[in-house]
Amino acid sequence: MSAQNISMLNEVGSTIGLGSNPGGMGGPLFGVTYTGGVSVGEYFSTGMSIGYMSLLFSNGISTEVLVRGSVPFGSKAIIGAWLSASGGYDFAIGSSKVVPAPLLSGSGGLYFRFKNGSRLYVGPSL
């Protein structure tokens, strides 16, 4: 593998949906993350994410390790499929203490490639 197949990964992501703390009630979920890492070739990327997550009445800082693979529908495809797995910790900020909670997630969906090479990833996460 040549060095030209490796590039920096700089990604800003957002999450909107429904979620739950372990054993808790479901409710609205909002999150924003920045991921820095490397992309190897066209279809694999990995990095470290840090962000903010708000779930029901708890807010926290989250850190995750991201591993993502993409499968194009054709060479240099405008649309392709992707799968992602993440693991890390959410440090929920309570009234007087910080509580670490493990995070594990898997997601998948479609990506849309723009003319400048940027991609928009869309899909559900669990």
Side-chain angles (χ1 to χ4, degrees):
M1 176 164 305
S2 68
Q4 68 191 39
N5 288 335
I6 299 173
S7 62
M8 294 300 297
L9 172 67
N10 289 300
E11 181 176 283
V12 175
S14 65
T15 302
I16 298 172
L18 298 174
S20 170
N21 293 321
M25 290 180 35
L29 168 77
F30 172 75
V32 178
T33 59
Y34 166 76
T35 304
V38 295
S39 291
V40 181
E42 180 75 15
Y43 306 112
F44 176 78
S45 56
T46 185
M48 185 71 157
S49 299
I50 187 163
Y52 170 81
M53 186 180 302
S54 175
L55 174 61
L56 231 54
F57 301 108
S58 65
N59 299 311
I61 304 297
S62 64
T63 59
E64 295 181 84
V65 175
L66 165 76
V67 177
R68 177 174 49 224
S70 301
V71 179
F73 292 149
S75 179
K76 299 289 183 180
I78 295 173
I79 299 175
W82 61 275
L83 293 173
S84 177
S86 298
Y89 279 91
D90 174 37
F91 298 93
I93 301 168
S95 59
S96 62
K97 60 183 177 179
V98 176
V99 180
L103 291 175
L104 292 173
S105 69
S107 55
L110 296 176
Y111 69 79
F112 302 93
R113 186 191 325 255
F114 299 101
K115 290 183 180 182
N116 67 1
S118 298
R119 293 183 190 179
L120 172 64
Y121 292 88
V122 179
S125 177
L126 177 63

